[in-house]
Amino acid sequence: GAGVSQSPSNKVTEKGKDVELRCDPISGHTALYWYRQSLGQGLEFLIYFQGNSAPDKSGLPSDRFSAERTGGSVSTLTIQRTQQEDSAVYLCASSLAARNNQPQHFGDGTRLSIL
Amino acid sequence: EDQVTQSPEALRLQEGESSSLNCSYTVSGLRGLFWYRQDPGKGPEFLFTLYSAGEEKEKERLKATLTKKESFLHITAPKPEDSATYLCAVQASGGGADGLTFGKGTHLIIQP
Protein backbone atom coordinates (compact mmCIF):
# COMPACT_ATOMS: atom_id res chain seq x y z
CA GLY A 1 0.00 0.00 0.00
CA ALA A 2 0.95 3.68 -0.18
CA GLY A 3 3.43 4.96 2.34
CA VAL A 4 3.84 8.40 3.87
CA SER A 5 3.95 11.02 1.14
CA GLN A 6 5.71 14.38 1.51
CA SER A 7 5.82 17.36 -0.80
CA PRO A 8 7.70 19.07 -2.17
CA SER A 9 10.71 16.73 -2.17
CA ASN A 10 13.01 19.72 -2.51
CA LYS A 11 12.50 23.40 -1.73
CA VAL A 12 14.93 26.26 -2.24
CA THR A 13 13.90 29.67 -0.97
CA GLU A 14 15.37 32.98 0.06
CA LYS A 15 15.98 33.97 3.65
CA GLY A 16 12.95 35.73 5.12
CA LYS A 17 10.35 33.92 2.99
CA ASP A 18 7.65 31.67 4.43
CA VAL A 19 7.49 27.98 3.43
CA GLU A 20 4.84 25.28 3.76
CA LEU A 21 5.69 21.60 3.84
CA ARG A 22 3.02 18.95 3.36
CA CYS A 23 2.65 15.43 4.75
CA ASP A 24 0.07 12.83 3.74
CA PRO A 25 0.16 9.93 6.24
CA ILE A 26 -0.57 6.27 5.69
CA SER A 27 -4.32 5.71 5.44
CA GLY A 28 -5.79 4.79 8.82
CA HIS A 29 -2.88 6.14 10.85
CA THR A 30 -4.15 8.53 13.51
CA ALA A 31 -0.79 9.69 14.86
CA LEU A 32 1.48 11.97 12.82
CA TYR A 33 4.96 13.24 13.68
CA TRP A 34 7.35 15.86 12.29
CA TYR A 35 11.14 15.60 12.65
CA ARG A 36 14.11 17.61 11.37
CA GLN A 37 17.40 16.06 10.23
CA SER A 38 20.31 18.47 9.91
CA LEU A 39 23.66 17.61 8.38
CA GLY A 40 25.74 15.68 10.89
CA GLN A 41 22.94 15.67 13.46
CA GLY A 42 20.46 13.04 14.50
CA LEU A 43 16.76 13.30 13.85
CA GLU A 44 15.20 15.96 16.07
CA PHE A 45 11.54 15.62 17.13
CA LEU A 46 9.44 18.70 16.42
CA ILE A 47 5.73 17.98 17.04
CA TYR A 48 3.15 15.23 16.93
CA PHE A 49 -0.59 15.02 16.33
CA GLN A 50 -3.10 12.53 17.64
CA GLY A 51 -6.05 13.09 15.34
CA ASN A 52 -6.24 16.83 14.75
CA SER A 53 -4.85 17.90 18.11
CA ALA A 54 -1.20 18.50 18.95
CA PRO A 55 -0.69 17.54 22.61
CA ASP A 56 3.03 18.20 22.45
CA LYS A 57 4.62 21.18 20.70
CA SER A 58 7.72 21.18 22.89
CA GLY A 59 10.09 20.33 20.07
CA LEU A 60 9.30 23.29 17.84
CA PRO A 61 12.56 25.32 17.78
CA SER A 62 10.96 28.77 17.72
CA ASP A 63 7.65 30.58 17.31
CA ARG A 64 8.39 30.86 13.59
CA PHE A 65 7.45 27.18 13.32
CA SER A 66 3.84 26.04 13.38
CA ALA A 67 1.93 22.97 12.22
CA GLU A 68 -1.65 22.00 11.69
CA ARG A 69 -3.61 18.94 10.75
CA THR A 70 -7.13 18.95 9.46
CA GLY A 71 -9.56 16.09 8.92
CA GLY A 72 -7.25 13.77 10.82
CA SER A 73 -5.16 13.29 7.71
CA VAL A 74 -2.91 15.74 5.86
CA SER A 75 -0.59 17.96 7.91
CA THR A 76 1.32 21.10 6.99
CA LEU A 77 4.43 22.42 8.71
CA THR A 78 4.89 26.17 8.20
CA ILE A 79 8.12 28.06 8.76
CA GLN A 80 7.78 31.84 8.74
CA ARG A 81 10.59 34.29 8.01
CA THR A 82 13.02 31.49 7.21
CA GLN A 83 16.63 31.67 8.40
CA GLN A 84 19.68 29.87 7.03
CA GLU A 85 19.80 27.63 10.11
CA ASP A 86 16.39 26.25 9.07
CA SER A 87 18.09 24.41 6.18
CA ALA A 88 17.57 20.70 6.82
CA VAL A 89 15.57 17.68 5.76
CA TYR A 90 12.09 17.74 7.29
CA LEU A 91 10.70 14.24 7.81
CA CYS A 92 7.15 13.22 8.54
CA ALA A 93 6.10 9.90 10.10
CA SER A 94 2.80 8.27 10.97
CA SER A 95 1.70 5.41 13.19
CA LEU A 96 -1.54 3.61 13.96
CA ALA A 97 -1.83 5.51 17.26
CA ALA A 98 0.34 7.33 19.74
CA ARG A 99 1.22 5.97 23.18
CA ASN A 100 0.93 2.29 22.34
CA ASN A 101 4.39 1.44 21.01
CA GLN A 102 3.34 1.34 17.38
CA PRO A 103 6.32 1.87 15.06
CA GLN A 104 6.50 5.15 13.18
CA HIS A 105 6.77 4.91 9.40
CA PHE A 106 8.60 7.72 7.63
CA GLY A 107 8.28 9.53 4.35
CA ASP A 108 11.33 10.48 2.29
CA GLY A 109 11.30 14.07 3.55
CA THR A 110 11.47 17.58 2.15
CA ARG A 111 15.00 18.90 1.65
CA LEU A 112 14.81 22.61 2.50
CA SER A 113 17.59 24.98 1.48
CA ILE A 114 17.57 28.61 2.59
CA LEU A 115 19.75 30.92 0.50
CA GLU B 1 16.78 14.16 29.41
CA ASP B 2 16.60 11.08 27.18
CA GLN B 3 19.86 10.30 25.37
CA VAL B 4 20.92 7.80 22.72
CA THR B 5 24.56 7.19 21.74
CA GLN B 6 25.49 4.94 18.84
CA SER B 7 28.89 3.43 18.12
CA PRO B 8 30.87 3.20 16.02
CA GLU B 9 30.01 6.26 13.90
CA ALA B 10 31.18 4.39 10.81
CA LEU B 11 32.06 0.78 10.08
CA ARG B 12 33.55 -0.78 6.97
CA LEU B 13 33.30 -4.57 6.61
CA GLN B 14 34.11 -7.11 3.96
CA GLU B 15 31.20 -9.06 2.54
CA GLY B 16 30.53 -12.00 4.87
CA GLU B 17 32.31 -10.39 7.85
CA SER B 18 29.90 -10.39 10.81
CA SER B 19 29.84 -7.57 13.37
CA SER B 20 27.67 -5.67 15.86
CA LEU B 21 26.47 -2.09 16.17
CA ASN B 22 25.91 -0.60 19.62
CA CYS B 23 23.18 1.69 20.94
CA SER B 24 23.51 2.95 24.52
CA TYR B 25 20.54 4.78 25.97
CA THR B 26 19.39 6.76 28.99
CA VAL B 27 15.64 7.17 29.29
CA SER B 28 13.14 7.89 32.04
CA GLY B 29 11.26 4.63 31.60
CA LEU B 30 11.53 2.80 28.30
CA ARG B 31 8.36 2.31 26.30
CA GLY B 32 10.18 0.98 23.26
CA LEU B 33 13.54 0.90 21.47
CA PHE B 34 13.43 1.09 17.69
CA TRP B 35 15.94 0.27 14.97
CA TYR B 36 15.72 1.86 11.54
CA ARG B 37 17.73 1.66 8.35
CA GLN B 38 18.25 4.83 6.27
CA ASP B 39 19.53 4.89 2.69
CA PRO B 40 20.88 8.14 1.15
CA GLY B 41 18.10 10.53 0.17
CA LYS B 42 15.42 8.35 1.78
CA GLY B 43 13.48 8.36 5.02
CA PRO B 44 14.23 5.85 7.79
CA GLU B 45 12.84 2.37 7.18
CA PHE B 46 11.51 0.54 10.24
CA LEU B 47 13.34 -2.67 11.21
CA PHE B 48 12.55 -3.70 14.81
CA THR B 49 10.88 -2.71 18.06
CA LEU B 50 12.19 -4.05 21.39
CA TYR B 51 10.23 -3.51 24.59
CA SER B 52 12.02 -5.17 27.50
CA ALA B 53 15.45 -6.39 28.55
CA GLY B 54 16.25 -9.85 27.22
CA GLU B 55 14.09 -9.48 24.15
CA GLU B 56 15.50 -10.42 20.73
CA LYS B 57 14.16 -9.91 17.20
CA GLU B 58 15.51 -11.27 13.90
CA LYS B 59 15.04 -10.41 10.26
CA GLU B 60 17.17 -12.02 7.56
CA ARG B 61 20.82 -11.24 8.43
CA LEU B 62 19.92 -8.84 11.27
CA LYS B 63 19.31 -9.60 14.92
CA ALA B 64 18.52 -6.98 17.56
CA THR B 65 18.96 -7.51 21.29
CA LEU B 66 18.14 -5.36 24.32
CA THR B 67 19.51 -4.93 27.84
CA LYS B 68 18.59 -2.33 30.45
CA LYS B 69 21.27 0.05 29.19
CA GLU B 70 21.97 -0.81 25.57
CA SER B 71 20.88 -2.54 22.41
CA PHE B 72 22.94 -4.35 19.81
CA LEU B 73 22.23 -4.85 16.15
CA HIS B 74 24.11 -7.95 15.04
CA ILE B 75 24.69 -8.38 11.34
CA THR B 76 25.64 -11.89 10.18
CA ALA B 77 27.43 -12.52 6.88
CA PRO B 78 26.49 -9.11 5.47
CA LYS B 79 26.05 -8.37 1.78
CA PRO B 80 26.77 -5.10 -0.07
CA GLU B 81 23.04 -4.31 -0.10
CA ASP B 82 23.17 -4.09 3.70
CA SER B 83 25.19 -0.88 3.34
CA ALA B 84 23.20 1.97 4.93
CA THR B 85 23.03 4.14 8.03
CA TYR B 86 21.44 2.29 10.95
CA LEU B 87 19.55 4.42 13.45
CA CYS B 88 18.53 3.61 17.00
CA ALA B 89 15.73 5.49 18.78
CA VAL B 90 13.93 5.32 22.11
CA GLN B 91 10.45 6.27 23.19
CA ALA B 92 9.97 7.17 26.86
CA SER B 93 7.04 6.04 28.95
CA GLY B 94 6.67 9.31 30.83
CA GLY B 95 3.96 11.86 30.28
CA GLY B 96 6.01 13.93 27.89
CA ALA B 97 6.65 13.79 24.18
CA ASP B 98 5.65 10.78 22.16
CA GLY B 99 8.35 11.60 19.68
CA LEU B 100 11.37 9.37 19.32
CA THR B 101 14.83 10.34 20.55
CA PHE B 102 17.35 9.24 17.93
CA GLY B 103 21.05 8.54 18.00
CA LYS B 104 23.25 9.92 15.23
CA GLY B 105 23.51 6.54 13.55
CA THR B 106 26.17 4.11 12.38
CA HIS B 107 27.19 4.40 8.74
CA LEU B 108 27.81 0.83 7.58
CA ILE B 109 29.68 0.00 4.37
CA ILE B 110 29.92 -3.58 3.13
CA GLN B 111 32.61 -4.08 0.52
CA PRO B 112 32.28 -6.88 -2.06
Side-chain angles (χ1 to χ4, degrees):
Chain A
V4 176
S5 178
Q6 293 189 246
S7 62
S9 54
N10 287 282
K11 177 73 176 179
V12 181
T13 192
E14 294 180 347
K15 176 182 171 181
K17 300 285 190 182
D18 297 351
V19 295
E20 272 194 4
L21 312 180
R22 175 188 168 105
C23 173
D24 200 342
I26 293 171
S27 178
H29 281 194
T30 61
L32 185 149
Y33 308 78
W34 283 99
Y35 293 83
R36 177 168 72 174
Q37 188 171 32
S38 304
L39 194 63
Q41 302 297 315
L43 276 80
E44 173 191 12
F45 168 71
L46 299 178
I47 188 171
Y48 94 97
F49 291 88
Q50 178 58 47
N52 290 336
S53 65
D56 187 356
K57 303 180 181 180
S58 63
L60 293 177
S62 78
D63 58 8
R64 296 186 295 104
F65 287 71
S66 63
E68 65 175 17
R69 188 180 187 195
T70 55
S73 182
V74 172
S75 176
T76 55
L77 177 69
T78 301
I79 309 173
Q80 296 179 309
R81 305 180 303 281
T82 52
Q83 303 294 313
Q84 288 187 330
E85 61 262 29
D86 300 333
S87 296
V89 176
Y90 289 83
L91 290 159
C92 175
S94 69
S95 68
L96 280 171
R99 295 185 173 271
N100 66 352
N101 307 332
Q102 292 293 324
Q104 296 175 25
H105 298 276
F106 285 81
D108 286 338
T110 294
R111 184 174 300 274
L112 178 64
S113 299
I114 310 298
L115 302 179
Chain B
E1 182 181 342
D2 303 334
Q3 287 191 328
V4 177
T5 303
Q6 291 188 246
S7 62
E9 290 184 9
L11 181 61
R12 188 182 298 265
L13 300 172
Q14 292 295 123
E15 184 173 1
E17 181 184 0
S18 301
S19 188
S20 296
L21 313 182
N22 178 263
C23 170
S24 297
Y25 64 91
T26 304
V27 66
S28 54
L30 181 69
R31 188 189 306 166
L33 184 141
F34 302 82
W35 281 98
Y36 287 84
R37 168 194 171 125
Q38 187 173 27
D39 293 299
K42 300 291 187 180
E45 175 190 347
F46 170 71
L47 294 174
F48 303 110
T49 309
L50 300 168
Y51 299 106
S52 58
E55 189 175 1
E56 299 182 351
K57 294 269 180 76
E58 286 190 66
K59 179 181 179 180
E60 297 181 354
R61 295 176 292 282
L62 299 176
K63 178 180 174 181
T65 62
L66 181 65
T67 73
K68 288 186 178 180
K69 294 183 178 180
E70 56 192 349
S71 177
F72 291 93
L73 185 65
H74 307 278
I75 182 161
T76 302
K79 299 181 178 181
E81 53 262 41
D82 295 321
S83 298
T85 295
Y86 290 84
L87 300 171
C88 173
V90 296
Q91 192 172 43
S93 59
D98 280 80
L100 300 177
T101 300
F102 279 85
K104 292 186 178 181
T106 293
H107 182 49
L108 179 64
I109 298 173
I110 309 299
Q111 294 180 308

